[in-house]
Amino acid sequence: MLGDLTEKIQSSQNRLEELMDKIPGIGGYRRKEQRREADKLLRMHIARELEGYLKRLGEVQYTLATRGRLDVNLALERATTRLQLLIDRLKTASYGYAGLFDAVKVDEEVLDRLYDFDERMLDAAAELEASIAQLEQTAEGEDLMTQANGLIRHLEALNSTFSRRQDVIIE
C-alpha cells in the first residue's frame, strides 16, 4: 500500500517548518494541514487507480461491441457511469475542514478517522480489479451479464459507502 502518508509528510519537514511547529498554536494547525494533505493524496491515488479500471472497462466494452454483445455493453455503461461518479466524488471530497464558528469542530482525531476511512476505500476499490479482470478474460458466454450486474452492484455499494464518509466527521 501507500504506507502512512501523514508520517511521510511530517518527516519531510525542513528546519524552518520544525521551528514553526514549536510556536504555540501553529504546530497543531500545521499538523492538521498535514493530515488533510495526506488524506487528499490518498484520495487522489484511489481516483487514479479507479481511472485505470475505467480505461480497462472501456476496452472490455469495445471488445464486446465488436462481438455484437450490445446487451452486456448496456449494463457495462451503467457500471462505467457509477465508476466515473465515484472517481469524481473522490476527487472533490471534503478535506475535513470546519470553520471557526461551525457546530462540529474537526480535530486531529477526526482527520485520522477520515484518512482511515479513505484507506478502507482503497482496499474496497482494489476488489474492482478482480471483477474487471474476470470480464476481460470471459468476454464471451452467458456469464457476462451476471458479471456485469455484479460489477454494478459492487460500484453501487462503493458509492453508498463513500456517502457515509461525512458521518466520520460528526461521530
Side-chain angles (χ1 to χ4, degrees):
M1 284 247 234
L2 295 175
D4 190 0
L5 291 173
T6 305
E7 289 178 12
K8 288 180 183 178
I9 290 171
Q10 289 174 346
S11 68
S12 67
Q13 295 185 92
N14 63 34
R15 306 256 306 133
L16 178 61
E17 291 169 324
E18 289 174 8
L19 182 62
M20 287 174 58
D21 283 347
K22 294 178 183 176
I23 299 171
I26 292 182
Y29 175 78
R30 285 185 32 77
R31 282 189 296 279
K32 281 184 184 180
E33 289 302 310
Q34 290 167 342
R35 281 177 167 76
R36 288 182 181 107
E37 184 63 25
D39 182 57
K40 178 184 175 187
L41 290 171
L42 177 60
R43 283 185 295 101
M44 292 303 114
H45 173 76
I46 297 168
R48 279 191 305 277
E49 290 286 316
L50 293 177
E51 287 171 338
Y53 300 158
L54 187 64
K55 182 177 186 260
R56 288 173 58 191
L57 193 53
E59 292 167 0
V60 169
Q61 285 180 282
Y62 177 77
T63 301
L64 292 172
T66 60
R67 294 182 181 163
R69 292 300 309 264
L70 299 179
D71 57 331
V72 180
N73 252 354
L74 230 81
L76 290 180
E77 189 57 40
R78 289 180 55 212
T80 299
T81 302
R82 283 163 178 73
L83 183 53
Q84 185 63 59
L85 174 65
L86 184 59
I87 291 167
D88 293 342
R89 292 176 74 196
L90 280 161
K91 287 181 174 181
T92 60
S94 165
Y95 295 7
Y97 282 100
L100 188 58
F101 299 108
D102 285 351
V104 177
K105 296 300 179 194
V106 178
D107 59 15
E108 292 178 24
E109 182 182 319
V110 171
L111 292 172
D112 287 342
R113 287 197 314 255
L114 274 176
Y115 184 86
D116 291 342
F117 181 92
D118 290 341
E119 268 191 329
R120 289 190 305 274
M121 283 296 297
L122 177 63
D123 295 338
E127 294 172 10
L128 283 176
E129 202 279 330
S131 296
I132 293 171
Q134 192 174 22
L135 276 168
E136 288 170 329
Q137 290 174 353
T138 304
E140 284 190 38
E142 296 307 312
D143 276 352
L144 279 173
M145 190 56 88
T146 303
Q147 291 173 6
N149 287 329
L151 180 61
I152 291 167
R153 283 190 301 278
H154 190 173
L155 286 164
E156 286 172 347
L158 277 174
N159 271 293
S160 177
T161 298
F162 197 75
S163 294
R164 292 189 298 274
R165 183 178 189 270
Q166 197 64 25
D167 296 345
V168 172
I169 294 175
I170 56 176
E171 283 181 348

